[in-house]
Amino acid sequence: MEELIIKGTDYSPEVVFSPKNSTYSISGWSRPESPFKFYEQVFKWIEDKGVKFLNNATIDFKIEYFNTPSAKMIRHMFEKLDLLYQQGVKMNVVWYYDDVESKEEFEYEFAQGLGFPIKYIEKKQ
């Protein structure tokens, strides 16, 4: 299957990795009971399909809230995207943030050491 579509819940984010629609996004709340189990399918898609589908694609991250275990999984996902970038996959990553403080926290916690550029867009309140 080339698409990865996971419907969001009160505990887990919506994931849309749809090559046929050129849509790649993760949005909503991220506090699943088993973060690794949830994100493992995302990691696998990135590893198996990323080179083919993410070149020149935009990946939108509109995560409203994430707990500490999810933060580790998000960082791991960014590391996987960074490996693709190092292999020549030029993706556009967009992180939507609430306020300057949350943007700075994201930059400190997640963006340090990554080679790919991240565009920051403030959410409309």
Side-chain angles (χ1 to χ4, degrees), residues 7 11 55 92 108 121:
K7 186 176 179 185
Y11 299 96
N55 198 39
N92 302 299
Y108 179 77
I121 297 177

Side-chain angles (χ1 to χ4, degrees), residues 7 12 57 73 104:
K7 186 176 179 185
S12 59
M73 297 298 103
E104 290 172 351

Side-chain angles (χ1 to χ4, degrees), residues 1-115:
M1 175 185 289
E2 301 205 333
E3 284 192 319
L4 175 62
I5 309 290
I6 304 169
K7 186 176 179 185
T9 69
D10 291 341
Y11 299 96
S12 59
E14 176 182 70
V15 176
V16 178
F17 282 14
S18 176
K20 73 177 183 180
N21 296 321
S22 298
T23 302
Y24 305 93
S25 66
I26 299 178
S27 58
W29 283 55
S30 184
R31 53 185 181 131
E33 187 174 313
S34 177
F36 181 77
K37 186 175 180 182
F38 178 83
Y39 281 101
E40 183 177 31
Q41 54 198 325
V42 179
F43 301 154
K44 182 161 179 42
W45 192 96
I46 291 169
E47 291 168 358
D48 295 347
K49 314 271 191 234
V51 169
K52 182 175 181 182
F53 294 116
L54 293 179
N55 198 39
N56 296 315
T58 297
I59 308 167
D60 291 316
F61 288 87
K62 298 178 180 179
I63 300 174
E64 301 292 325
Y65 168 84
F66 52 87
N67 61 10
T68 301
S70 289
K72 291 177 184 176
M73 297 298 103
I74 294 166
R75 175 61 191 186
H76 189 61
M77 183 182 348
F78 281 132
E79 290 168 354
K80 290 192 173 298
L81 293 173
D82 197 49
L83 285 174
L84 290 179
Y85 187 79
Q86 291 172 28
Q87 295 171 22
V89 176
K90 303 300 183 208
M91 70 209 77
N92 302 299
V93 174
V94 181
W95 184 267
Y96 291 81
Y97 65 94
D98 292 318
D99 54 41
V100 173
E101 184 178 298
S102 67
K103 176 184 179 266
E104 290 172 351
E105 182 179 349
F106 172 83
E107 290 175 314
Y108 179 77
E109 294 291 331
F110 295 101
Q112 280 189 355
L114 298 175

